[in-house]
Amino acid sequence: MKALIAGGGIGGLTAALCMLEAGHDVTVFERHPALTTGGAGIQISPNGVKVLERLGLKSELDAIAFRPDALEMRLGRSGLKLFSIPLRDEALRRYGAPYYHIHRADLLSILSNALPPRTLQLGKEFASLTQSGDAVTVTFTDGSKAWGDLLIGADGIHSQVREQLFGPDAPRFTGNIAWRLVVPASSLPKNLIPSTATIWVGPGRHAVTYYLRRGELVNFVGVVERKGWQGESWTERGDIKEMAADFASFSNPITTLIAQASEVHRWALFDREPLAHWSQGRVTLLGDACHPMLPFLAQGAVMAIEDAWVLSRKLKSINEIPAALTAYEAERKPRTTRAQRGARRQTGLYHKQGMAAQLATYGPMWLAARLTPGIVHARQDWLYKHDVTL
């Protein structure tokens, strides 16, 4: 089977490795002339790590990623710790795989280096597709063409493959924008930022901090409620002074971290309803192309990794490609829809205004973490315990 993949991001590269592992032939077409070295940190929870381990990438992940000691929540203004739940060793014990923080560029490098030569073709931007009989033809913006038995659209949140199959989407602005930055840990006072996955909550805004690249970098994401600007591109530069003003009310760890930023990026957070269908004939979608989700469960990249494994297994076990794609969609949609809706429900959870609302929301979390700490992990069991490789 010859598979064509549009998109050389995390989902597309993982899909290529899964397809190769299942015995298929595959070519990935990425529109950029080089894989990006930019971006920021992402979280790979145990359910995604299980796939990467099956692909033989554990040693590469261990060598470059950071494993957080705990999951914490703190008040942004005072720094007061609301709870701290062990994660480093507990992830292995409870879920059977580590929990990683990794720079997006590092993960792309690991995935692309694992591909055979000439599997990845750069500078090939998707323009259109046609299906006829038992083949799919893809035309690129430079006029060149490629032929295969199927096409996997892994071309992200603004997927051109999805738009050709099902028309334009209808995103809804959530009223939130996100800031991101990465700074060297050496530029900060030692132990200023906890070696944990930390959520800093505050009125109308929250921040997330964690380490990357063996602890050499600190990643920051800040989400602020706003009615105005609505640009969705996550590569757009932002104004450091504007971001600093958004978090000026937060405590010293956050303000000191922001003060060390040399550049920042921002993007508006949009929500989308789950697609009715992912596939048409010999073409299907994967990852953000079919189930883009808000970042509040940190599952966007992980769901794409899971998709890749399940799709490759269906194509291995079911001879007819359209039937395999239908089976893939039927297995994945309930889980990804639950993740999409779960992330949506988290919107605003960390932005409570006023002491009464904060006590009503965070007080039970504080109490539960002290009396029954396992309950915090239990809320994530449906995500992290899942193993698509079984």
Side-chain angles (χ1 to χ4, degrees):
M1 184 184 300
K2 172 65 175 178
L4 310 177
I5 300 177
I10 293 169
L13 296 179
T14 305
L17 291 171
C18 290
M19 295 290 284
L20 289 165
E21 198 276 343
H24 305 304
D25 187 16
V26 62
T27 305
V28 182
F29 300 95
E30 165 57 38
R31 68 185 181 93
H32 290 106
L35 292 182
T36 178
T37 58
I42 57 174
Q43 303 185 48
I44 306 296
S45 52
N47 47 310
V49 173
K50 291 167 188 174
V51 174
L52 300 177
E53 288 183 343
R54 284 293 297 270
L55 294 173
L57 302 177
K58 185 178 188 305
S59 61
E60 289 85 349
L61 290 167
D62 284 338
I64 196 68
F66 184 84
R67 291 174 58 192
D69 292 331
L71 171 65
E72 290 188 351
M73 179 180 285
R74 297 177 181 241
L75 294 179
R77 290 182 169 180
S78 66
L80 176 68
K81 187 188 299 182
L82 296 175
F83 64 75
S84 181
I85 304 298
L87 187 59
R88 182 182 175 90
D89 296 329
E90 184 66 10
L92 285 171
R93 187 194 69 80
R94 190 179 186 101
Y95 306 122
Y99 195 112
Y100 290 121
H101 293 157
I102 189 168
H103 198 291
R104 184 176 184 273
D106 293 338
L107 182 54
L108 287 176
S109 178
I110 289 172
L111 295 170
S112 60
N113 289 340
L115 290 172
R118 294 180 292 281
T119 301
L120 174 62
Q121 295 192 20
L122 299 171
K124 289 291 186 180
E125 183 173 1
F126 173 89
S128 64
L129 70 91
T130 56
Q131 299 189 64
S132 59
D134 58 358
V136 179
T137 303
V138 175
T139 302
F140 302 97
T141 55
D142 62 5
S144 62
K145 297 178 184 291
W147 294 266
D149 297 300
L150 77 153
L151 169 65
I152 301 167
D155 51 341
I157 199 167
H158 299 296
S159 171
Q160 294 300 303
V161 177
R162 180 190 65 224
E163 183 165 336
Q164 180 162 344
L165 292 180
F166 305 118
D169 64 354
R172 177 186 63 83
F173 180 49
T174 63
N176 292 269
I177 70 162
W179 296 96
R180 64 176 175 86
L181 63 89
V182 177
V183 302
S186 60
S187 69
L188 301 170
K190 189 175 181 180
N191 300 322
L192 176 75
I193 302 299
S195 58
T196 60
T198 305
I199 303 170
W200 309 76
V201 299
R205 68 210 65 222
H206 79 276
V208 178
T209 59
Y210 52 83
Y211 285 89
L212 303 171
R213 200 168 289 166
R214 300 174 297 269
E216 298 168 11
L217 302 173
V218 176
N219 188 73
F220 170 94
V221 176
V223 177
V224 182
E225 294 176 5
R226 185 169 296 178
K227 294 180 179 179
W229 174 85
Q230 297 185 22
E232 196 175 16
S233 171
W234 68 276
T235 61
E236 182 174 330
R237 293 283 183 92
D239 186 315
I240 295 176
K241 291 182 179 179
E242 184 181 351
M243 184 185 68
D246 279 342
F247 289 92
S249 64
F250 272 34
S251 60
N252 172 56
I254 299 302
T255 55
T256 300
L257 172 61
I258 290 173
Q260 294 302 314
S262 59
E263 67 175 38
V264 300
H265 295 81
R266 67 176 186 174
W267 73 102
L269 297 180
F270 282 79
D271 195 17
R272 292 162 169 83
E273 290 300 320
L275 282 180
H277 303 286
W278 297 0
S279 307
Q280 187 181 98
R282 291 171 170 265
V283 182
T284 195
L285 303 172
L286 179 148
D288 283 348
C290 53
H291 48 70
M293 59 190 67
L294 295 167
F296 304 128
L297 287 181
Q299 286 293 298
V302 176
M303 287 293 115
I305 290 170
E306 287 189 0
D307 286 349
W309 183 270
V310 173
L311 176 57
S312 69
R313 300 308 108 172
K314 296 303 182 185
L315 289 164
K316 184 176 182 179
S317 62
I318 301 174
N319 291 330
E320 292 293 324
I321 289 175
L325 301 186
T326 297
Y328 152 70
E329 182 178 329
E331 179 169 331
R332 292 298 297 157
K333 275 188 69 175
R335 180 165 168 81
T336 60
T337 297
R338 185 178 179 185
Q340 281 179 289
R341 290 175 173 164
R344 176 187 298 167
R345 285 193 297 271
Q346 298 286 101
T347 306
L349 175 66
Y350 311 127
H351 296 183
K352 298 302 180 182
Q353 302 276 356
M355 185 61 69
Q358 291 181 9
L359 284 173
T361 302
Y362 307 135
M365 295 182 182
W366 175 88
L367 187 63
R370 280 156 177 76
L371 298 180
T372 54
I375 197 169
V376 179
H377 284 303
R379 292 185 63 188
Q380 305 301 322
D381 282 351
W382 72 274
L383 278 172
Y384 301 165
K385 281 188 174 181
H386 194 72
D387 188 349
V388 297
T389 69
L390 296 178

